[in-house]
Amino acid sequence: MIETFDIFPNAIGRIIYDKSEPTKKTILDLMEGTEMEPNAKDPSLYHFDNETNKSFLHKECFSGFREWMEKTCTDFVKNTLGYNISGNMIITDSWLNLCDKGGGQYPHFHGNAYISGTYYVNFKQGHSPLCFRHPENSTHSHFPTITLQCDKSNPNKYNSDVFVFPEEGELILWQSNLTHGYSDNQLDGRISISMNFMPEIVNNDKYSYRVVPLHK
């Protein structure tokens, strides 16, 4: 029997927002009569504020909600991942997602971001979980130049995708280079908010800079 030990694990953060119900009502009210943009790859998936210079969470009505997310992300980076940052993590962009039955989001990762996240506004039984793709299973990968087929009769933590089943009102955080997505949604009305975070000051050596979101 080969002895093994794990190195370089990836942490996924998750936390419930204690004001999720009134926030959900505000979001549903905003969605009333709002024209959402269909996803180019899936006609059952729609977005709002998914454009350069726009950010859904920077509306005035979400100031407290946004501050909670930024504080939560700062704690995740400092106290879970264990990195020193100057100042706080800030949301650089954010957008609303609506996925109806049969829809999904193609596996992808987020560039120009350090942490990405999704907040689940409306999530019921039948809505698809979030899938994090194993690097060797991903088409967006800088993993080895050869790819071996996964032995599906012997899945384990070294060869398999990871599925996260969120709760309604929950924020999920991860490092932005992780490939993620979902498929085969079985119920209308899967509503979520996606966002990207960056440190407001990137300061790892003498070549430092301040991050200013374009929408400001």
Side-chain angles (χ1 to χ4, degrees), residues 116-145:
S116 295
T118 298
Y119 176 82
Y120 291 87
V121 179
N122 190 61
F123 192 89
K124 310 293 183 187
Q125 185 174 357
H127 289 150
S128 292
L130 180 62
C131 175
F132 288 94
R133 299 297 307 273
H134 188 281
E136 287 200 52
N137 298 335
S138 174
T139 55
H140 299 65
S141 178
H142 49 72
F143 227 62
T145 54

Side-chain angles (χ1 to χ4, degrees), residues 141-216:
S141 178
H142 49 72
F143 227 62
T145 54
I146 67 165
T147 299
L148 301 181
Q149 186 173 9
C150 175
D151 180 2
K152 294 184 178 179
S153 67
N154 184 32
N156 60 50
K157 62 184 177 180
Y158 303 113
N159 66 12
S160 300
D161 298 338
V162 173
F163 292 87
V164 175
F165 289 82
E167 296 182 42
E168 187 169 296
E170 186 171 36
L171 173 65
I172 308 290
L173 297 171
W174 63 89
Q175 288 179 282
S176 298
N177 63 307
L178 294 179
T179 299
H180 57 283
Y182 60 93
S183 61
D184 197 26
N185 188 44
Q186 293 297 301
L187 183 69
D188 285 347
R190 184 188 190 276
I191 303 173
S192 61
I193 303 170
S194 296
M195 78 264 343
N196 292 317
F197 298 83
M198 283 286 287
E200 60 183 342
I201 299 173
V202 178
N203 183 17
N204 196 30
D205 61 20
K206 63 180 181 179
Y207 303 113
S208 304
Y209 56 91
R210 184 179 297 276
V211 175
V212 180
L214 286 176
H215 56 81
K216 289 186 178 181

